[in-house]
Amino acid sequence: MEPSLLPSLAWFAHVASHRSFTKAAAKMGVSRAALSQNLKALEKQLGVRLLNRTTRDMSLTEDGQHLFDALQPSLGAIESAVRSLGEAAGEASGLLKVNTARLAAKALVDPYFGEFLARYPKLSLELVMDDGLSNITASGCDVGIRLGQHLAEHMVAVPITPMLSMAVVGTPAYFARRSPPKTPADLVHHNCLNFRHTGSGALYKWEFTSPDGHDFSMETKGNLITNDDDSMLRAALQGVGLIQHIDIVVRKHLDDGSLVRVLKPWCPPFPGFYLYIPSRKQMPKKTQALIDFLVEKRKQWERRT
């Protein structure tokens, strides 16, 4: 590729990212006029129109969108490599963007904001809540956190929790009114609080494994449905009914006796949460800092189990 194209391509990526010449120029410390002339020269050199311009608005053409989609991950990787060179002799610093499932954030990150940021005072943390499995490079994030069963094979992943399991729980007061279920089939006699997935709109089906190793899921019925797992947990703590949740979320309530676990033999362990990155090459110190911190917390969880 012609080396002289690289600066102009980087300028184009800034404009496309901000969808504004004014914002991109301010971010880059150049004049709007200089940026506009540079992009016109790039379009002339490539022989295609990249941007649709009006006096009040700017948008990408189809060719421009295609070029931006191809440039974004590559330029992100270059920026990460350059940042890592500057960090090599110093301590972890800069902005660390973490793409994480909401549940993982609540259980594994939120409780330790103060401790982590005090340990690494030159770091800033940004959480991007995403219950899908995003391409962390394309989304501009440094790391992601997901359950092991949801990770792509090519990802470099580090376990940050022990093995987990689903837990069916209720309060002692609830079980004073109804006999604890001995098998999942007994749940038809219980008030089971349900979770509705925000994306699909489907109700969560409770997951079990029979003593002979057969995995199955089942629909349950109750008088409360929510798309927020915190609300579901609060209702269970009030004795409204039973819930099924990942054990790491309800463990403190099991420890203090406010919740009681049932059907444990039907809920075997599965791979827990992992922190994942595209590659170990040129890993920034800020990324290594988060990995070390969460692995330390994993070891504390393991000692408690």
Side-chain angles (χ1 to χ4, degrees), residues 4 16 76 99 111 130-131 156 166 176 178 182 188 219 268 279 287 295 301:
S4 63
N99 186 296
D130 181 0
D131 290 326
V156 177
M166 301 306 295
R178 304 190 188 193
K182 291 183 170 50
V188 297
E219 295 180 356
S279 171
T287 301
V295 167
W301 280 106

Side-chain angles (χ1 to χ4, degrees), residues 11-302:
W11 284 32
F12 164 71
H14 274 285
V15 173
S17 177
H18 291 284
R19 293 296 197 272
S20 165
F21 278 99
T22 302
K23 292 179 181 178
K27 181 75 173 179
M28 300 168 66
V30 299
S31 70
R32 187 185 187 284
L35 188 57
S36 179
Q37 288 302 316
N38 184 281
L39 267 294
K40 286 181 180 178
L42 176 63
E43 288 177 323
K44 183 176 181 180
Q45 191 171 357
L46 295 177
V48 296
R49 178 182 291 276
L50 301 174
L51 304 169
N52 292 315
R53 304 171 178 83
T54 68
T55 56
R56 301 183 61 181
D57 199 8
M58 183 276 291
S59 63
L60 295 177
T61 65
E62 183 177 356
D63 287 329
Q65 185 66 56
H66 179 73
L67 179 61
F68 179 54
D69 291 342
L71 286 174
Q72 192 176 18
S74 300
L75 291 174
I78 292 172
E79 183 180 3
S80 177
V82 172
R83 275 201 312 266
S84 69
L85 292 176
E87 291 178 340
E91 59 185 294
S93 61
L95 175 64
L96 179 63
K97 293 184 69 173
V98 182
N99 186 296
T100 174
R102 296 173 190 277
L103 180 59
K106 292 174 184 177
L108 306 175
V109 183
D110 293 8
Y112 305 114
F113 283 144
E115 183 180 351
F116 179 73
L117 294 173
R119 186 179 301 184
Y120 301 102
K122 294 185 178 181
L123 266 181
S124 297
L125 193 64
E126 180 177 344
L127 298 187
V128 179
M129 302 297 184
D130 181 0
D131 290 326
L133 184 58
S134 293
N135 181 325
I136 56 176
T137 301
S139 65
C141 293
D142 300 287
V143 303
I145 299 176
R146 292 294 184 280
L147 286 171
Q149 64 201 58
H150 295 153
L151 292 180
E153 290 184 4
H154 68 278
M155 284 293 176
V156 177
V158 178
I160 55 174
T161 67
M163 295 284 283
L164 303 177
S165 65
M166 301 306 295
V168 179
V169 297
T171 61
Y174 175 88
F175 288 121
R177 303 192 304 270
R178 304 190 188 193
S179 299
K182 291 183 170 50
T183 72
D186 296 335
L187 291 174
V188 297
H189 306 298
H190 288 268
N191 191 39
C192 299
L193 312 184
N194 279 304
F195 177 82
R196 189 179 296 281
H197 295 285
T198 303
S200 66
L203 288 177
Y204 167 72
K205 293 183 179 180
W206 292 26
E207 301 173 6
F208 298 101
T209 300
S210 65
D212 62 3
H214 173 65
D215 295 332
F216 65 97
S217 59
M218 59 182 292
E219 295 180 356
T220 57
K221 293 185 179 180
N223 60 5
L224 178 66
I225 298 172
T226 176
N227 66 352
D228 177 67
D229 61 300
D230 282 345
S231 295
M232 186 177 69
L233 177 57
R234 285 193 293 269
L237 287 167
Q238 294 171 31
V240 176
L242 303 183
I243 63 170
Q244 187 182 57
H245 214 320
I246 295 179
D247 62 349
I248 199 171
V249 176
V250 298
R251 191 168 295 169
K252 66 178 180 179
H253 303 295
L254 295 174
D255 290 343
D256 66 21
S258 54
L259 290 175
V260 176
R261 186 172 185 177
V262 295
L263 299 177
K264 188 172 182 178
W266 294 80
C267 300
F270 57 84
F273 284 101
Y274 285 71
L275 182 146
Y276 67 98
I277 54 178
S279 171
R280 290 188 184 275
K281 295 179 181 179
Q282 301 173 324
M283 185 186 299
K285 286 197 172 184
K286 61 183 182 180
T287 301
Q288 188 64 59
L290 182 62
I291 291 175
D292 293 344
F293 183 85
L294 293 179
V295 167
E296 174 188 312
K297 296 304 173 188
R298 183 198 75 201
K299 293 177 179 177
Q300 292 177 7
W301 280 106
E302 289 172 343

